[in-house]
Amino acid sequence: MLKVLRQVPDSGGEKHFDRFLQEYELIARVDHPNVVRIFNLGIADDHAYIAMEYCSRGSLKRQIREGIGSDQAYALLRVIAGALGALHEVGIFHRDLKPTNVMFREDESPVLIDFGLAK
């Protein structure tokens, strides 16, 4: 999966680029099975990108829409709380936790994504 920023510092997007770079640096500090894995940060022409793992099973929002049982919801809550705990241990606060920022891998394991607002 690629997260793309269409403005790099040379094109007047210094503030956005700094936040984008901060997101990369934050994610790179965390090694937890339920936090998205990143592979690369790059710049091409007037775009910057973060290459991260692809989560093929969609978002928690989709699963909620399709119906989710209380046992499954409780199990997901425990896993997500564990991932948040790992973030907090290194001083990162997600600040934008919502169903669309929880994705699922092929094996159905949940993954926290989108650290653009993290502090």
Side-chain angles (χ1 to χ4, degrees), residues 1-4 20 24 36-42 49-54:
M1 180 167 55
L2 286 179
K3 181 170 186 171
V4 178
F20 196 76
Y24 171 82
V36 69
R37 289 181 289 242
I38 56 165
F39 305 117
N40 194 15
L41 168 72
Y49 64 87
I50 297 174
M52 61 187 83
E53 70 179 301
Y54 176 66

Side-chain angles (χ1 to χ4, degrees), residues 94-110:
H94 192 286
R95 294 189 346 150
D96 195 25
L97 184 60
K98 57 188 176 188
T100 54
N101 286 340
V102 177
M103 300 292 289
F104 292 89
R105 294 185 180 107
E106 185 66 28
D107 67 0
E108 295 291 334
S109 61

Side-chain angles (χ1 to χ4, degrees), residues 8-101:
V8 294
D10 293 346
S11 64
E14 291 87 3
K15 178 180 167 187
H16 297 291
F17 182 75
D18 289 346
R19 281 188 51 192
F20 196 76
L21 185 58
Q22 176 191 11
E23 178 176 359
Y24 171 82
E25 291 170 347
L26 290 173
I27 300 170
R29 291 175 27 200
V30 179
D31 182 22
H32 188 275
N34 301 104
V35 174
V36 69
R37 289 181 289 242
I38 56 165
F39 305 117
N40 194 15
L41 168 72
I43 299 175
D45 298 324
D46 62 345
H47 294 70
Y49 64 87
I50 297 174
M52 61 187 83
E53 70 179 301
Y54 176 66
C55 299
S56 63
R57 295 290 187 174
S59 72
L60 178 57
K61 181 177 182 177
R62 181 187 59 83
Q63 285 199 4
I64 291 169
R65 211 175 28 242
E66 293 173 358
I68 187 170
S70 58
D71 289 345
Q72 185 183 7
Y74 178 71
L76 283 171
L77 178 64
R78 289 179 52 89
V79 171
I80 293 167
L84 289 171
L87 293 172
H88 294 175
E89 284 178 13
V90 295
I92 299 170
F93 298 95
H94 192 286
R95 294 189 346 150
D96 195 25
L97 184 60
K98 57 188 176 188
T100 54
N101 286 340

